[in-house]
Amino acid sequence: MYGWSGQRLRVDLSKGDIIKEPLSYEYRKKWIGGRGFNSDVIYNEVPPEMSPFDPRARVCFGVGPMNGTAAPSTGRVTVSCKSPLTGGFGDSSMGGHWGAEVRYAGYDQIIVQGKSKKPVYIWMDDDKVEIRDASHIWGKYPRDADTMIKEELKDEDIHIMLIGPAGENLVRFACTFNDVWRAAGRTGHGAVIGSKNLKGIATRGSGSVKVARPKEFMEICNKLRQKFKNDPMKMGLYELGSLCLINIANRDGWLPWKNLQFGGTPLANNMSGETHSQTVLKHREGCYACPICCGRFTAIKEGRWAGEEFGGPEYEHAVPTGPRLGIIEDANDIWHNARLTNDLGMDGIETGGVISTAMEWYQRGLITTKDTGGMELEWGNEEVVDQLIQDIAYRRGFGDILADGASRASDKLGLGKEGQYYTIATRGMTLPGDDPRGLGFGYGLSFAMGTRGGCDHLRSLCCLELSGALYPGLNTKYLGDERPMKPTTTAGKPYMVYYEENQKAVTDCLNVCCFTTHWSYAVLTQDQLDYFNACTGLDMTLDEFLEVGERVHNLERAYWSRLMSGAREDVVPERFTKEPMPQHVDYQTNVGATLPIGEMLPKYYKYRDYEPGTGFPSDRKLKQLGLDYVADDVRPLRKKYMSDSEKKKKKYYY
Amino acid sequence: MLSRINVVRNERFGESFVAGCDLCTDPPCAAVCPTGACALDPLTEIAKINPDKCIGCKECMIHCPFGAVKMHPITKKAFKCDLCEGREDGPVCADWCPSGAISWIKPEIAVKAKRRSKLQERINAATKAKEVS
């Protein structure tokens, strides 16, 4: 067997069972790996009505067939579960070196189920897998726990997946880390892992990945690495990290300022990649086999947070913990907030999202200091933010309410429809630091349609809008049209989102970093197919390859359908459709823009073959993708979804 | 194919560096080799291991101060960097390093450049002083 290891590891923490299950040729070809394997397991083994914290719920860690080879940026891991934040399908992906190590240990996927009586961690040493006591590391920050496990196992070179204190305290947006700082942030699987009393998985692998056609494979990899050397996006990402976007975002009006009320701030340069690399950057880091190296390591030198060090931040982490909360004057405050969310093991995007939502409730008078326990939630109040982040992680006072996510907190506080208006969330998850009124209407559409809880900058990642201009002719090559390159147009956007969603799903199945295939377009879809075929020895065609992506996407969509989430829930926050973008920076380019989501949705439905009324995947499409059993599941639900009682329900989360 | 260089990392403190052969001209690994498998290569002027003569005694592994020698898990023989067998353009790792952490430069040239840079520093300082005055 080439490419894959051919087996998955299943650990049942209730019984202490360790089971190795073979993966058949048909199964591997159908789902490829990573997100594909995970989605299939979640769909089949976690029924929609089950609570995410149920001991029977699964959490899956999937790696791709090429993790651990020389192909560029193939160190990623996809973590999937039923999300405690949205209540629907949830997955997230992280970089680092753990993914490759899991492949060297000889597995394509790890499934954890059951619930341990006391805190434990899993130690995988190639074939030997054991469950070890973790009482002494419970409650520790990931960086301390990492060091302690390495000392205990007497090996500094192992790679460890860990959760932080927030996961242990069941904060609904807790995340997981590997290599201390590489986080799989969104959808809150850290809390699911915490609910199983699992602290982490330490891995040592001494095996290798077999490649079917090594010579051809190396030739392709060398060709791609050569392309990276002159790639315009790679240069920016290496020099400045993803913070290189700050100044661009500010100019184009999609840098969220005060919970997306504005699209920029005159002081944005305080936290730009340029400033960061001149002031606090200590070290540039790369994940496994990565020619881009967008990772940062920050050391704060001045001010009250002097001496703090951490891995990060990146754009999507720094923006919600900074400008979205109105913090910009002292960038060290932003780096400190990012460090804090990392250490406590929380998703920076959601943490910033809930706090900024609470700040806007406070601004509009929906809540007062009586609700917040005396905290004055003024924009830019760093003392309160610092305190609140810790309160959320340890579920204290007002933080306990926010720890359930913005949409749930709104209901808990009884703020009604007005409260939900300011959450800037779809399907219970707050949006990342991108305002689609400026970033592009394609992003807006994918926020409405994403299959991991609506909000998503990584489901379609239509960077043909963002960096497409740097690659002349690429839009025509992929989409047959140059017009979609302009962000604020609806022309060609539905097809762009459809195509990119399928492409991104395949990329996640291979567990290749999307910065190689979407941000930077050095690796095109055809290149991906070529190295995949050379590695695994298959002879897939381009259509078959993209069909895998479409299959994964439709399976996830069907999971939402089973939760009674369909066309009525395919919406974006009303702020984007009702409030024209105000001017906040005099050189802003998108003043007055709103998101015309209604124009794009019907066309997108047609490409996807979703039914216009319900928004469920059609029978025809599911059967064409070889998902007959899914079609059987979804068919009886259509009538229920269209019934009057369902129509009356307003669902913000599940 | 196994890598002959290693990246050693400490994630917690954000430190990492490349550990590999330091290209000694009087190599301890060659001095301790009992069979002469590890010997100075006249072409590259560094130690090179001949797998046919190697008996896998691990002496070179222990004596290398940089941890550059490794054992092949399948053949059970020692192996280390051989500067890509004296490739004319220098070792391949320097070609592919994305961040410029590894570069290939002859010591004689490097040392000359270093001396020059000292002189340049003086010139810069003098020019600056003139501008100020």
Side-chain angles (χ1 to χ4, degrees), chain A residues 48 185 271 335:
Chain A
M271 63 171 300
W335 316 141

Side-chain angles (χ1 to χ4, degrees), chain A residues 111-364:
Chain A
I111 304 170
V112 180
Q113 60 194 65
K115 181 180 179 176
S116 165
K117 286 200 182 75
K118 56 177 182 131
V120 290
Y121 72 91
I122 297 170
W123 167 223
M124 298 162 58
D125 185 6
D126 288 336
D127 283 351
K128 281 178 277 172
V129 180
E130 56 178 305
I131 299 166
R132 294 173 70 107
D133 179 42
S135 313
H136 56 299
I137 50 170
W138 199 250
K140 295 270 189 293
Y141 291 164
R143 56 185 157 122
D144 296 325
D146 186 87
T147 312
M148 288 169 81
I149 292 178
K150 281 177 178 169
E151 277 170 10
E152 189 179 308
L153 298 171
K154 295 186 182 63
D155 189 345
E156 293 275 320
D157 288 333
I158 56 174
H159 295 281
I160 308 171
M161 182 288 293
L162 283 166
I163 59 165
E168 296 162 13
N169 298 331
L170 308 188
V171 173
R172 283 180 190 266
F173 42 88
C175 55
T176 55
F177 294 87
N178 81 84
D179 281 0
V180 187
W181 308 111
R182 299 275 151 254
R186 307 237 67 189
T187 71
H189 40 254
V192 180
I193 298 171
S195 78
K196 300 187 177 309
N197 274 331
L198 179 69
K199 181 71 180 173
I201 305 177
T203 308
R204 177 165 64 199
S206 60
S208 58
V209 180
K210 271 192 191 166
V211 174
R213 304 192 283 267
K215 208 174 159 210
E216 185 192 333
F217 183 72
M218 281 312 288
E219 268 168 22
I220 298 166
C221 294
N222 286 351
K223 185 189 90 185
L224 294 175
R225 275 169 200 273
Q226 199 66 47
K227 265 171 112 180
F228 271 112
K229 281 192 173 175
N230 306 313
D231 189 86
M233 282 309 280
K234 184 250 158 173
M235 313 245 187
L237 283 170
Y238 173 74
E239 286 299 328
L240 310 175
S242 54
L243 288 173
C244 66
L245 283 178
I246 297 281
N247 282 337
I248 299 168
N250 200 36
R251 182 197 64 203
D252 293 346
W254 49 275
L255 184 77
W257 175 245
K258 296 188 178 173
N259 199 27
L260 290 89
Q261 293 183 60
F262 302 96
T265 156
L267 294 174
N269 194 44
N270 283 3
M271 63 171 300
S272 69
E274 290 84 348
T275 313
H276 179 270
S277 57
Q278 281 160 17
T279 53
V280 288
L281 177 70
K282 182 181 173 191
H283 185 68
R284 292 182 173 86
E285 292 193 322
C287 299
Y288 175 83
C290 186
I292 300 177
C293 303
C294 69
R296 311 283 98 179
F297 198 93
T298 299
I300 304 174
K301 291 177 193 132
E302 287 170 3
R304 57 180 156 160
W305 316 117
E308 287 188 3
E309 291 192 345
F310 73 106
E314 56 112 26
Y315 176 87
E316 295 292 5
H317 192 180
V319 168
T321 52
R324 190 163 175 173
L325 306 171
I327 300 170
I328 194 75
E329 276 180 19
D330 184 1
N332 288 334
D333 289 342
I334 304 172
W335 316 141
H336 164 76
N337 293 341
R339 199 275 301 164
L340 207 55
T341 55
N342 261 354
D343 273 346
L344 296 167
M346 287 193 291
D347 173 19
I349 302 177
E350 194 66 33
T351 310
V354 288
I355 298 176
S356 66
T357 305
M359 283 179 163
E360 189 156 5
W361 289 335
Y362 189 83
Q363 177 197 334
R364 311 269 171 196

Side-chain angles (χ1 to χ4, degrees), chain B residues 63-90:
Chain B
H63 283 87
C64 173
F66 310 107
V69 186
K70 294 199 274 186
M71 293 299 285
H72 197 287
I74 297 163
T75 62
K76 308 279 178 202
K77 310 251 181 186
F79 72 100
K80 67 178 276 292
C81 166
D82 56 3
L83 286 179
C84 298
E85 300 190 326
R87 182 171 169 262
E88 223 163 82
D89 303 332

Side-chain angles (χ1 to χ4, degrees), chain A residues 10-69:
Chain A
R10 190 185 286 272
V11 181
D12 189 326
L13 293 172
S14 298
K15 298 177 199 155
D17 285 349
I18 286 150
I19 307 152
K20 286 161 197 166
E21 298 168 357
L23 297 170
S24 70
Y25 173 78
E26 285 73 29
Y27 186 81
R28 294 187 316 242
K29 205 177 164 191
K30 189 171 178 185
W31 300 110
I32 292 186
R35 182 171 147 198
F37 287 172
N38 284 2
S39 299
D40 178 62
V41 170
I42 298 293
Y43 187 92
N44 289 322
E45 300 187 17
V46 187
E49 60 278 3
M50 187 186 275
S51 154
F53 297 137
D54 192 298
R56 288 167 298 169
R58 270 48 162 174
V59 55
C60 312
F61 305 88
V63 285
M66 290 185 327
N67 283 41
T69 66

